[in-house]
Amino acid sequence: MASILLLNGPNLNLLGRREPEVYGSDTLADIERRCKDEAGRLGHQLICRQSNSEGGMVDWLQQQAPSAAYLVINPGAYGHTSIALRDALLGVALPFVEVHLSNVHAREEFRRSSMLTDIAVGCISGLGAQGYLLALQFIAEQLRGGGSDGP
Ligand code: CA2
């Protein structure tokens, strides 16, 4: 059994309460519960965190990464802007999958650029909350010893 981290960034605590047409109607608690269930079904432990602050995300990654095998991160808007988050991910050297609920390529131009995608193992965007579950299934396959569809 491995520990997998799930980190959600700024404003994702508002999920389910506003903009359901963009981000779906699940709350963050709903998503975290489904992800924990899925991780358990796959034989792993999932540790969840949401932070509205860049420093809070960096601190949590530095604390948790040494005992974790993989990370799923929805960096929220910091994915488009944060060199600090990029540096933290490079610094902890934890493989990660970047998830976005919405299709960032079908929205405003500024959402198309990412500070993280080129250092991620992969990125899922636009599949709603299912994106987190697909990321966990991919990670479980990687932890099992490779998988045929991975890098
Ligand atoms: O699609 C995603 O998951 C995003 O990471 C969400 C971020 C956005 O800045 C990224 O470009 C794409 C925004 C999260 C805001 O979440 C809210 C949820 C409900 C109501 C208002 C905001």
Side-chain angles (χ1 to χ4, degrees):
M1 180 205 271
S3 287
I4 301 170
L5 305 179
L6 172 60
L7 178 58
N8 279 286
N11 297 309
L12 288 159
N13 55 314
L14 299 176
L15 283 176
R17 286 187 256 158
R18 286 176 37 219
E19 299 191 63
E21 67 288 356
V22 180
Y23 298 118
S25 52
D26 290 331
T27 66
L28 185 58
D30 293 333
I31 291 172
E32 288 181 347
R33 196 174 316 109
R34 277 162 61 196
C35 287
K36 280 189 176 180
D37 288 350
E38 183 65 6
R41 191 186 70 77
L42 293 164
H44 299 295
Q45 178 194 28
L46 188 71
I47 302 169
C48 301
R49 176 75 161 220
Q50 186 273 332
S51 176
N52 286 324
S53 87
E54 197 173 15
M57 294 175 77
V58 169
D59 283 343
W60 190 75
L61 284 171
Q62 290 184 8
Q63 285 158 13
Q64 297 292 328
S67 53
Y70 233 106
L71 166 72
V72 179
I73 182 168
N74 183 342
Y78 287 142
H80 308 303
T81 61
S82 178
I83 297 169
L85 196 52
R86 177 187 177 90
D87 286 346
L89 289 163
L90 288 170
V92 299
L94 188 64
F96 69 95
V97 176
E98 180 182 351
V99 172
H100 294 281
L101 292 156
S102 63
N103 180 353
V104 290
H105 299 284
R107 300 183 64 192
E108 301 97 325
E109 181 68 35
F110 64 81
R111 294 190 204 276
R112 293 188 191 172
S113 74
S114 170
M115 286 286 171
L116 308 185
T117 305
D118 67 305
I119 59 167
V121 175
C123 180
I124 299 172
S125 177
L127 303 185
Q130 197 183 348
Y132 293 97
L133 302 174
L134 293 170
L136 288 170
Q137 289 160 13
F138 169 80
I139 288 167
E141 189 66 24
Q142 294 297 299
L143 295 176
R144 253 198 302 275
S148 55
D149 53 352

